[in-house]
Amino acid sequence: MTFAHDHLLWFLLIIPALVGLKLWVDAHGSTAERLFTAARLRPDLVTGRSLWRSWLIYTLYALAMACIIVATAQPRWGEEKLEIPDKGRNIFIAIDTSRSMLARDVPPDRLTRARLAAHDLVVELAGERVGLLAFAGRAYLQAPLTTDHDAIIESLQAFDHTIIEWGGSNIGDLLDVTLRAIKTLPKSNYALVIFSDGGDADANLVPFIQRLTAAGVVIVTVGVGTEGGTLIPNPEIDGDYIRDEAGNVVRSRLESGVLQQLASATGGRFLKLGAQPLNRNSIQPVLDRLTEQQSANRQTSRPIERFAWPLSLGIVLLMLAWIISALPRPSARPLVLALAVIAFAPAPSAQAANVPETIAAIFQPKGPAPEDAREALEQHDFAKARDLYEKLLKEKSYGAAARDEMLYGLAATEHALTNYDSSVKEFSEVLHTEDKSLRARAHRGIGHTLYDQGARGLQQQPKITIQRWTDALRHLDAALELEPENAEVRANRDHVAKMLDDLRKVMDELKKQQEQQNGKGQKGEKGQKGQKGEQGEGQEGDQEGAGKEGSDPNGEAKKKESEGKGEKKEGDDGIGGKDAKELPEGRLQAAGDKEGEKDGEQGKDGQKPGDGEGGDQKKKTAGKPTDEARNPRTGFTPGEAQGLLRQYMDEITGPIINRYHTPPPNKKDW
């Protein structure tokens, strides 16, 4: 069994308190009776309700109160299965994820702003059936129509500029995907909300608009961006911007022509996304024209409420107590008994006089107090202080000022435990307080935390240390503006500024030394290349000299034969032909006939180029077609194989932008 409001069960402690009060009153009444009356005259002088009857009625009232308290806490036992009809208006939300949506004329950028606005709209459309689409150079249905808005929001958070690899904003494909999505659904009407930075009016969209109008689709377009526009950051290259085919930087603007065309042609609305969130009222006129569509029922379960049982029992007990109280009873006690009770009753003490405070003290939870957490922090018991502050912040009985003080204490504790990220987070929440002194202390705490965090990672990540110390200096400046007379803050601020300047100077000096070393290394490599070139020329000279010293009468014929082979390779369609001209010298040699390599090896052994079997073999193969040199396993000549390898290397080493952004027909991949 569970309770919807289990905290109300604390009121059950009133029952034993009332029983104790009853015992105390009865005890003092019996003492007064014994003092004023004799034992033999007491039955005649003291008349009224009997002791057992009094306790019976009192017990019935107490049990009735307990039953009512339990019923108010709403006990639940068991679960019941329910089928909820899945119905609602049909609304598709489409978001432009092209790279132009990375422009930052709408903070933080167009795509993020569109995602946030779509999130707010999904929350506003509670109970409606929502679908999700993404489009750039192509369009995709990311989530079908559903009332599970949590799934829609989860899919929406995954939207970025890489979700679709085709560049541009192909609205025509978006309309086509929408038509195909509703083709399989029952006949109804739909709304399509498009978030985009637009484009020029396009006559090619007219057929799609006519089909959408016939299918009962109303389009609401939301323009994201400004008319002035801005440059588009290049997500692949830091500090660079998107450029067109001519190498010019692209400036993207809000082009509302096509958006207004879609809205006016389908009877929808054109909205411009500003600083205010997009809510249901913005598209309510369009929603009023839609009809709800019901699909399969959705099964769910909920706990069964059992409050009727204790409530009914409490009512029965109250009725019994009233009936017993209304039964005939003896005559009232004499007035003297009442006066005696009043006279001999003890005077109320000063502590009991303040009844509300006494009751509040009884029912106040025995949990930790802010003083306990503050004391633990002062005693440097940081683990205990953190636990106490976290428990205190979970309670909702403290005001805003007290919670801000506890947040500050928790942030200071996290800083002492070197949990710098958590400390900065808690200090940042304190910055929203209206207390000027506390806000200054929060700025100072953030500054100290960021400085310590940067000092800890100084050796491993000096650049990040510079960023953290810069932020620390900014927060210390803010604290100094709030407390200009605080000498301690000013001293800390000057110390951080000095350390930051020294670190920047050291980083600049290291950068200069690295640049000098890189320059020397490049010069050394160039020198080595020069030596290699001289060495290669000397080797060629030696080989030529060796050829001249030989007595081969066919040397001139071999020279002509090799020139003929070269002309044949240039005319070839494979790598030995026109593609061979683009290869470096080493690769061109590898693309030629392997017999040249054999000749080179013979030259190394001391044989003359024109002597021996090598010369005869060369003469025999000079007139044969190049197809005879094909590899029987691959079917390619050595030149063709080299060409295929070169083409493959060009593809895998090409720029990422050429592989992941396929430009649309209008050649605008942004």
Tab-separated table of all heavy atoms in Angstrom, residues 97-99 102 161-162 164-168 234-236 242 655-664 669-670:
chain	number	residue	atom	x	y	z
A	97	THR	N	18.198	21.663	-41.308
A	97	THR	CA	19.486	21.352	-40.673
A	97	THR	C	20.663	21.643	-41.599
A	97	THR	O	21.755	21.112	-41.392
A	97	THR	CB	19.523	19.878	-40.239
A	97	THR	OG1	19.364	19.043	-41.391
A	97	THR	CG2	18.426	19.579	-39.238
A	98	SER	N	20.461	22.477	-42.619
A	98	SER	CA	21.564	22.806	-43.512
A	98	SER	C	22.590	23.671	-42.790
A	98	SER	O	22.346	24.211	-41.708
A	98	SER	CB	21.029	23.531	-44.752
A	98	SER	OG	20.378	24.738	-44.382
A	99	ARG	N	23.762	23.830	-43.423
A	99	ARG	CA	24.844	24.550	-42.759
A	99	ARG	C	24.572	26.040	-42.628
A	99	ARG	O	25.178	26.702	-41.790
A	99	ARG	CB	26.156	24.319	-43.515
A	99	ARG	CG	26.668	22.900	-43.405
A	99	ARG	CD	28.078	22.785	-43.920
A	99	ARG	NE	28.155	23.068	-45.352
A	99	ARG	CZ	29.286	23.213	-46.021
A	99	ARG	NH1	30.438	23.105	-45.391
A	99	ARG	NH2	29.282	23.446	-47.327
A	102	LEU	N	23.768	27.342	-39.194
A	102	LEU	CA	24.806	27.571	-38.194
A	102	LEU	C	25.142	29.045	-38.027
A	102	LEU	O	25.948	29.398	-37.158
A	102	LEU	CB	26.084	26.804	-38.574
A	102	LEU	CG	25.967	25.276	-38.649
A	102	LEU	CD1	27.294	24.676	-39.113
A	102	LEU	CD2	25.582	24.701	-37.303
A	161	HIS	N	23.892	19.760	-37.754
A	161	HIS	CA	24.123	19.965	-39.186
A	161	HIS	C	24.646	18.720	-39.887
A	161	HIS	O	24.727	18.696	-41.117
A	161	HIS	CB	25.109	21.119	-39.393
A	161	HIS	CG	26.512	20.792	-38.950
A	161	HIS	ND1	26.878	20.798	-37.619
A	161	HIS	CD2	27.619	20.422	-39.650
A	161	HIS	CE1	28.153	20.473	-37.526
A	161	HIS	NE2	28.620	20.236	-38.729
A	162	THR	N	25.025	17.678	-39.112
A	162	THR	CA	25.552	16.450	-39.724
A	162	THR	C	24.511	15.357	-39.847
A	162	THR	O	24.833	14.267	-40.321
A	162	THR	CB	26.736	15.915	-38.889
A	162	THR	OG1	26.266	15.581	-37.574
A	162	THR	CG2	27.838	16.960	-38.790
A	164	ILE	N	22.079	15.157	-41.830
A	164	ILE	CA	21.845	14.910	-43.258
A	164	ILE	C	23.082	15.378	-43.995
A	164	ILE	O	23.506	16.529	-43.848
A	164	ILE	CB	20.594	15.654	-43.764
A	164	ILE	CG1	19.345	15.145	-43.029
A	164	ILE	CG2	20.435	15.488	-45.259
A	164	ILE	CD1	18.083	15.861	-43.417
A	165	GLU	N	23.685	14.489	-44.788
A	165	GLU	CA	24.962	14.808	-45.411
A	165	GLU	C	24.808	15.614	-46.696
A	165	GLU	O	25.787	16.155	-47.192
A	165	GLU	CB	25.726	13.519	-45.717
A	165	GLU	CG	25.035	12.616	-46.706
A	165	GLU	CD	25.797	11.316	-46.927
A	165	GLU	OE1	26.283	10.750	-45.944
A	165	GLU	OE2	25.897	10.894	-48.081
A	166	TRP	N	23.613	15.710	-47.248
A	166	TRP	CA	23.413	16.476	-48.473
A	166	TRP	C	23.212	17.943	-48.123
A	166	TRP	O	22.396	18.285	-47.258
A	166	TRP	CB	22.213	15.945	-49.250
A	166	TRP	CG	22.507	14.653	-49.934
A	166	TRP	CD1	23.003	14.473	-51.186
A	166	TRP	CD2	22.343	13.340	-49.379
A	166	TRP	NE1	23.162	13.142	-51.453
A	166	TRP	CE2	22.763	12.412	-50.364
A	166	TRP	CE3	21.893	12.865	-48.155
A	166	TRP	CZ2	22.735	11.055	-50.158
A	166	TRP	CZ3	21.874	11.507	-47.939
A	166	TRP	CH2	22.287	10.617	-48.931
A	167	GLY	N	23.937	18.821	-48.793
A	167	GLY	CA	23.870	20.239	-48.483
A	167	GLY	C	22.700	20.921	-49.154
A	167	GLY	O	22.048	20.399	-50.057
A	168	GLY	N	22.433	22.157	-48.721
A	168	GLY	CA	21.358	22.957	-49.280
A	168	GLY	C	20.074	22.821	-48.500
A	168	GLY	O	20.003	22.144	-47.472
A	234	ASN	N	32.442	27.777	-40.717
A	234	ASN	CA	32.738	26.462	-41.296
A	234	ASN	C	32.929	25.464	-40.165
A	234	ASN	O	33.874	25.583	-39.376
A	234	ASN	CB	34.005	26.539	-42.155
A	234	ASN	CG	34.187	25.296	-43.014
A	234	ASN	OD1	33.685	24.225	-42.685
A	234	ASN	ND2	34.896	25.441	-44.114
A	235	PRO	N	32.064	24.458	-40.024
A	235	PRO	CA	32.199	23.526	-38.897
A	235	PRO	C	33.418	22.623	-39.006
A	235	PRO	O	33.845	22.058	-38.011
A	235	PRO	CB	30.897	22.714	-38.961
A	235	PRO	CG	30.470	22.792	-40.380
A	235	PRO	CD	30.909	24.132	-40.877
A	236	GLU	N	34.009	22.477	-40.220
A	236	GLU	CA	35.175	21.616	-40.374
A	236	GLU	C	36.490	22.339	-40.109
A	236	GLU	O	37.489	21.714	-39.767
A	236	GLU	CB	35.222	21.012	-41.791
A	236	GLU	CG	34.275	19.858	-42.013
A	236	GLU	CD	32.876	20.338	-42.341
A	236	GLU	OE1	32.760	21.526	-42.716
A	236	GLU	OE2	31.920	19.551	-42.217
A	242	ILE	N	32.066	29.454	-44.544
A	242	ILE	CA	31.624	28.751	-45.749
A	242	ILE	C	31.876	29.630	-46.973
A	242	ILE	O	31.582	30.835	-46.969
A	242	ILE	CB	30.139	28.386	-45.632
A	242	ILE	CG1	29.897	27.481	-44.419
A	242	ILE	CG2	29.650	27.714	-46.897
A	242	ILE	CD1	30.615	26.163	-44.488
A	655	PRO	N	39.384	16.158	-49.353
A	655	PRO	CA	38.821	16.964	-48.252
A	655	PRO	C	37.514	16.379	-47.756
A	655	PRO	O	36.737	15.807	-48.514
A	655	PRO	CB	38.611	18.335	-48.911
A	655	PRO	CG	39.469	18.326	-50.137
A	655	PRO	CD	39.557	16.910	-50.585
A	656	ILE	N	37.284	16.509	-46.474
A	656	ILE	CA	36.061	15.982	-45.858
A	656	ILE	C	34.839	16.682	-46.436
A	656	ILE	O	33.790	16.091	-46.612
A	656	ILE	CB	36.122	16.166	-44.341
A	656	ILE	CG1	37.263	15.336	-43.777
A	656	ILE	CG2	34.822	15.768	-43.684
A	656	ILE	CD1	37.449	15.483	-42.287
A	657	ILE	N	34.979	17.945	-46.748
A	657	ILE	CA	33.820	18.715	-47.226
A	657	ILE	C	33.322	18.171	-48.551
A	657	ILE	O	32.128	18.231	-48.857
A	657	ILE	CB	34.194	20.206	-47.334
A	657	ILE	CG1	32.961	21.026	-47.682
A	657	ILE	CG2	35.261	20.428	-48.392
A	657	ILE	CD1	33.207	22.514	-47.633
A	658	ASN	N	34.218	17.591	-49.356
A	658	ASN	CA	33.791	17.053	-50.646
A	658	ASN	C	33.078	15.723	-50.490
A	658	ASN	O	32.311	15.322	-51.338
A	658	ASN	CB	35.007	16.880	-51.558
A	658	ASN	CG	35.613	18.210	-51.966
A	658	ASN	OD1	34.907	19.211	-51.979
A	658	ASN	ND2	36.908	18.221	-52.266
A	659	ARG	N	33.345	15.014	-49.394
A	659	ARG	CA	32.738	13.702	-49.222
A	659	ARG	C	31.442	13.759	-48.436
A	659	ARG	O	30.599	12.894	-48.563
A	659	ARG	CB	33.729	12.780	-48.507
A	659	ARG	CG	34.909	12.420	-49.373
A	659	ARG	CD	35.748	11.335	-48.728
A	659	ARG	NE	36.536	11.857	-47.629
A	659	ARG	CZ	36.534	11.353	-46.414
A	659	ARG	NH1	35.777	10.329	-46.139
A	659	ARG	NH2	37.284	11.857	-45.465
A	660	TYR	N	31.279	14.746	-47.567
A	660	TYR	CA	30.133	14.768	-46.675
A	660	TYR	C	29.113	15.835	-47.031
A	660	TYR	O	28.114	15.945	-46.376
A	660	TYR	CB	30.605	14.979	-45.231
A	660	TYR	CG	31.315	13.787	-44.692
A	660	TYR	CD1	32.696	13.736	-44.666
A	660	TYR	CD2	30.604	12.679	-44.230
A	660	TYR	CE1	33.355	12.627	-44.169
A	660	TYR	CE2	31.247	11.571	-43.736
A	660	TYR	CZ	32.622	11.541	-43.707
A	660	TYR	OH	33.269	10.442	-43.216
A	661	HIS	N	29.380	16.655	-47.983
A	661	HIS	CA	28.421	17.678	-48.387
A	661	HIS	C	28.229	17.599	-49.883
A	661	HIS	O	28.997	18.172	-50.660
A	661	HIS	CB	28.913	19.076	-47.992
A	661	HIS	CG	29.028	19.255	-46.506
A	661	HIS	ND1	27.939	19.371	-45.689
A	661	HIS	CD2	30.115	19.312	-45.704
A	661	HIS	CE1	28.329	19.506	-44.435
A	661	HIS	NE2	29.655	19.473	-44.413
A	662	THR	N	27.260	16.831	-50.305
A	662	THR	CA	26.942	16.703	-51.718
A	662	THR	C	26.101	17.902	-52.142
A	662	THR	O	24.993	18.094	-51.631
A	662	THR	CB	26.162	15.405	-51.973
A	662	THR	OG1	26.924	14.313	-51.463
A	662	THR	CG2	25.892	15.222	-53.447
A	663	PRO	N	26.605	18.729	-53.040
A	663	PRO	CA	25.854	19.945	-53.376
A	663	PRO	C	24.579	19.624	-54.137
A	663	PRO	O	24.533	18.683	-54.924
A	663	PRO	CB	26.848	20.735	-54.239
A	663	PRO	CG	27.780	19.714	-54.793
A	663	PRO	CD	27.883	18.637	-53.765
A	664	PRO	N	23.526	20.366	-53.900
A	664	PRO	CA	22.272	20.178	-54.638
A	664	PRO	C	22.405	20.704	-56.060
A	664	PRO	O	23.462	21.233	-56.441
A	664	PRO	CB	21.274	20.994	-53.807
A	664	PRO	CG	22.113	22.052	-53.163
A	664	PRO	CD	23.451	21.443	-52.910
A	669	ASP	N	25.623	24.322	-51.347
A	669	ASP	CA	25.639	23.249	-50.357
A	669	ASP	C	25.546	23.794	-48.944
A	669	ASP	O	25.944	23.136	-48.000
A	669	ASP	CB	26.894	22.392	-50.510
A	669	ASP	CG	28.166	23.171	-50.238
A	669	ASP	OD1	28.115	24.425	-50.254
A	669	ASP	OD2	29.204	22.542	-49.996
A	670	TRP	N	25.049	25.012	-48.800
A	670	TRP	CA	24.844	25.551	-47.456
A	670	TRP	C	23.385	25.845	-47.219
A	670	TRP	O	23.010	26.419	-46.240
A	670	TRP	CB	25.689	26.822	-47.261
A	670	TRP	CG	25.406	27.898	-48.263
A	670	TRP	CD1	24.434	28.851	-48.199
A	670	TRP	CD2	26.098	28.129	-49.490
A	670	TRP	NE1	24.467	29.651	-49.295
A	670	TRP	CE2	25.486	29.244	-50.118
A	670	TRP	CE3	27.153	27.509	-50.136
A	670	TRP	CZ2	25.916	29.739	-51.333
A	670	TRP	CZ3	27.577	28.010	-51.344
A	670	TRP	CH2	26.969	29.102	-51.942
